[in-house]
Amino acid sequence: MATMNLTLKVWRQKNSQEKGRMVDYKVTNISDHMSFLEMLDVLNEQLIEKGEEPVAFDHDCREGICGMCSLFINGEAHGPDRGVTTCQLHMRMFKDGDTITIEPWRATAFPVIKDLIVDRTAFERIQQAGGYISVNTSGNTQDANAIPIPKRDADRSMDAAACIGCGACVATCKNSSAMLFVAAKVSQFALLPQGRVEATERVLNMVNQMEHEGFGNCTNTGACEVECPKGISLENIARLNREYLKASIR
């Protein structure tokens, strides 16, 4: 087991009203087996022992499922590894003596709450605008499991549903676009017969809410797909555009 000493440049911001700044910290004897969040736990233990304010960062499952641990590390969403969230990023991706810059997501629609924590409820409002099925199922309805669905459609729907709403797509986009997120939520229903009933209303409401929240337009650079920890495909954005065009014509 190798250990390393690191310099951390961490964004500190007391609240959304005050200006933030980068603060340098030294951490020592960091195991390369640690996750990135465990390394931050060590930093906070040191700060608490000194009587200083610990660094606020978001986390929950620490298993790459919830998407809460979103950090911008050395200019990359979730850090230098691929297909992982910040909690799945291990310190073996860094070297002894490295300087690591740690920032929150940078997007107008994701205002900073404190330090490295941002408010991502804009995503929740987009989903509430139409990312669900509310069809009345009372009475003699067909069992959903009895509806034949082509395997390809089912697989693509499940791939889209893998989105955990972490916001890496927004953070890495030059325009802070939420197109990949919205496309994933629209696609997971658009590909299944159960979701076709409300398809028109859903895509219009979700896209309108996305624009209302202040997210930018798609840059078509593909950076969102590269940084997405779940590998959500750009094909979903093409599907979103088709669904939106059909809904607009209707």
Side-chain angles (χ1 to χ4, degrees):
M1 181 181 69
T3 60
M4 61 189 80
N5 300 327
L6 304 165
T7 299
L8 307 179
K9 292 182 175 292
V10 183
W11 181 260
R12 302 303 307 264
Q13 185 171 342
K14 190 172 183 180
N15 53 54
S16 58
Q17 284 74 44
E18 296 193 17
K19 289 185 177 181
R21 63 190 180 93
M22 301 299 293
V23 180
D24 291 358
Y25 298 105
K26 301 286 187 180
V27 288
T28 59
N29 296 320
I30 299 298
S31 168
D32 60 352
H33 292 328
M34 284 184 180
S35 73
F36 199 85
L37 295 191
E38 288 173 330
M39 181 275 295
L40 288 180
D41 289 336
V42 171
L43 169 63
N44 279 342
E45 288 174 0
Q46 295 177 0
L47 293 176
I48 292 171
E49 288 176 359
K50 295 177 182 177
E52 299 179 23
E53 180 97 10
V55 176
F57 63 93
D58 223 343
H59 64 96
D60 188 12
C61 72
R62 298 202 179 201
E63 295 178 346
I65 298 172
C66 69
M68 292 180 66
C69 60
S70 307
L71 297 177
F72 214 61
I73 303 165
N74 285 348
E76 296 183 82
H78 294 300
D81 208 350
R82 288 291 174 268
V84 299
T85 54
T86 301
C87 65
Q88 295 173 303
L89 176 68
H90 284 84
M91 297 310 297
R92 56 179 169 267
M93 298 298 297
F94 304 94
K95 300 188 298 293
D96 182 35
D98 275 357
T99 296
I100 305 174
T101 301
I102 310 169
E103 303 171 83
W105 283 170
R106 302 291 191 182
T108 301
F110 290 160
V112 173
I113 296 174
K114 183 177 181 180
D115 293 341
L116 303 175
I117 302 176
V118 300
D119 182 354
R120 289 177 297 159
T121 53
F123 269 9
E124 296 178 14
R125 290 188 290 271
I126 290 173
Q127 291 191 94
Q128 290 164 4
Y132 54 89
I133 293 175
S134 61
V135 178
N136 188 350
T137 58
S138 61
N140 187 19
T141 58
Q142 184 177 2
D143 186 347
N145 291 327
I147 301 175
I149 300 173
K151 184 178 187 303
R152 185 177 180 223
D153 289 345
D155 288 345
R156 288 188 297 176
S157 177
M158 288 299 293
D159 288 343
C163 171
I164 58 176
C166 67
C169 51
V170 175
T172 198
C173 178
K174 295 177 181 178
N175 291 344
S176 298
S177 172
M179 284 286 283
L180 191 64
F181 167 77
V182 177
K185 299 307 175 185
V186 167
S187 291
Q188 72 180 80
F189 294 117
L191 287 162
L192 301 177
Q194 294 93 332
R196 297 309 304 169
V197 178
E198 297 177 304
T200 299
E201 180 182 357
R202 176 182 301 112
V203 68
L204 291 176
N205 287 346
M206 293 185 76
V207 170
N208 289 339
Q209 187 65 37
M210 173 182 68
E211 294 178 351
H212 176 73
E213 295 293 345
F215 292 104
N217 295 322
C218 179
T219 63
N220 295 310
T221 61
C224 53
E225 180 181 3
V226 173
E227 298 291 356
C228 175
K230 299 303 176 182
I232 304 299
S233 172
L234 286 175
E235 291 180 1
N236 291 294
I237 294 181
R239 185 176 299 107
L240 170 64
N241 288 332
R242 291 194 298 270
E243 291 289 324
Y244 185 78
L245 179 60
K246 287 190 294 184
S248 299
I249 292 173
R250 289 175 186 172

